[in-house]
């Protein structure tokens, strides 16, 4: 695999909630020297709330809309290891 992030494809992890996507993504990112991108973490930082707080305050529809925005926002980037949320698919 090339060391140039602009020539790397993304690795996207999907799966059930609490299946270890974030943990595995971290290991893959460290091993491949790619940038780790955790969708849930980005949303929590943007809204300054935990995922559970977002769900209880705004509901699932609001959260899924934010999730879609973040995924679209990173979709043109390369060289990422992406850990999606359990419901992203």
């Amino acid at each position: 695999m090339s060391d140039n992030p602009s020539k790397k494809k993304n690795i996207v992890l999907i799966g059930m909630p609490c299946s270890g996507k974030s943990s595995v993504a971290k290991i893959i990112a460290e091993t491949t020297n790619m940038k780790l991108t955790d969708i849930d973490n980005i949303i929590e930082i943007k809204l300054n709330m935990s995922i559970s707080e977002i769900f209880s305050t705004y509901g699932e529809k609001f959260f899924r809309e934010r999730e879609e925005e973040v995924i679209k926002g990173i979709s043109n980037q390369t060289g990422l290891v992406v850990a999606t949320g359990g419901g992203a698919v």
Side-chain angles (χ1 to χ4, degrees), residues 34-70:
M34 295 170 72
K35 180 181 176 187
L36 174 61
T37 303
D38 187 305
I39 301 302
D40 284 352
N41 190 36
I42 292 171
I43 294 168
E44 288 178 328
I45 291 168
K46 286 180 94 167
L47 298 177
N48 197 31
M49 299 173 84
S50 70
I51 299 301
S52 60
E53 289 174 319
I54 296 166
F55 266 75
S56 65
T57 304
Y58 298 109
E60 182 175 3
K61 183 178 186 295
F62 175 87
F63 174 78
R64 297 296 171 209
E65 289 169 351
R66 304 297 77 75
E67 186 175 52
E68 183 177 343
E69 290 169 2
V70 171

